Amino acid sequence: MSSLFELVGNTPLVEMTGISPCPTVKIYAKMEMYNPTASVKARAAAQILERGEQEGRITKGSTILDASSGNTGIAYAAFAAAKGYRLKLCVPKNINAERKALLMAYGVECIYTSLYGKVIHQYFLEMHMLDYLKLHYIISVVF
């Protein structure tokens, strides 16, 4: 493989023997932990960034802004680092130390938001978005 993006989605399908209540029914598990960043969220993050590039919305020197402290944010961080993009994530103040350290290792700038849920979290994203409307790619904004 020559690219982190080429690894996305190439996850094995494994038969889960002995768990089906019906002997004629086979149950399979998709092993998404083999994606880069060990999550199914790598699929969505990779597709969003690649589409942004294809549409010319993400170019060399772009800054990407989103609100996520979960697996999607970590996937954005890995892919943005691989592509050389700057990433800013609005994350809650109570983000756990492990996620914070991982995001920082990828070079993410964390914008710390309120602890009071998604509405406030999204508000912070919208406020920071105003600085980026002309030059950068904003992944998700809900008005």
Side-chain angles (χ1 to χ4, degrees):
M1 297 280 167
S2 62
S3 164
L4 186 64
F5 285 83
E6 291 176 30
L7 297 173
V8 175
N10 293 321
T11 57
L13 192 62
V14 177
E15 184 177 357
M16 305 300 289
T17 58
I19 66 168
S20 176
C22 179
T24 59
V25 174
K26 293 183 178 184
I27 298 175
Y28 293 87
K30 189 75 170 141
M31 307 302 285
E32 294 294 340
M33 75 280 275
Y34 288 99
N35 272 315
T37 71
S39 170
V40 68
K41 301 294 184 162
R43 292 174 184 262
Q47 288 178 356
I48 289 167
L49 294 181
E50 286 182 325
R51 185 172 206 165
E53 289 175 332
Q54 291 167 358
E55 293 175 356
R57 294 180 186 190
I58 302 177
T59 59
K60 185 176 181 177
S62 288
T63 297
I64 301 163
L65 175 65
D66 196 11
S68 175
S69 62
N71 290 334
T72 304
I74 291 168
Y76 285 139
F79 296 133
K83 292 280 192 164
Y85 300 130
R86 203 166 156 221
L87 177 63
K88 292 187 175 201
L89 289 177
C90 294
V91 300
K93 289 179 185 175
N94 66 343
I95 185 173
N96 72 45
E98 179 185 53
R99 286 188 184 271
K100 182 179 177 181
L102 184 56
L103 293 173
M104 293 179 79
Y106 281 124
V108 173
E109 180 182 335
C110 293
I111 301 163
Y112 298 100
T113 65
S114 170
L115 304 176
Y116 299 109
K118 189 169 180 146
V119 172
I120 301 298
H121 194 65
Q122 194 67 37
Y123 170 78
F124 273 84
L125 173 63
E126 292 166 12
M127 292 299 100
H128 283 278
M129 175 187 81
L130 299 176
D131 294 332
Y132 297 97
L133 279 176
K134 295 178 184 168
L135 303 173
H136 306 287
Y137 189 58
I138 300 160
I139 294 170
S140 65
V141 176
V142 178
F143 291 98

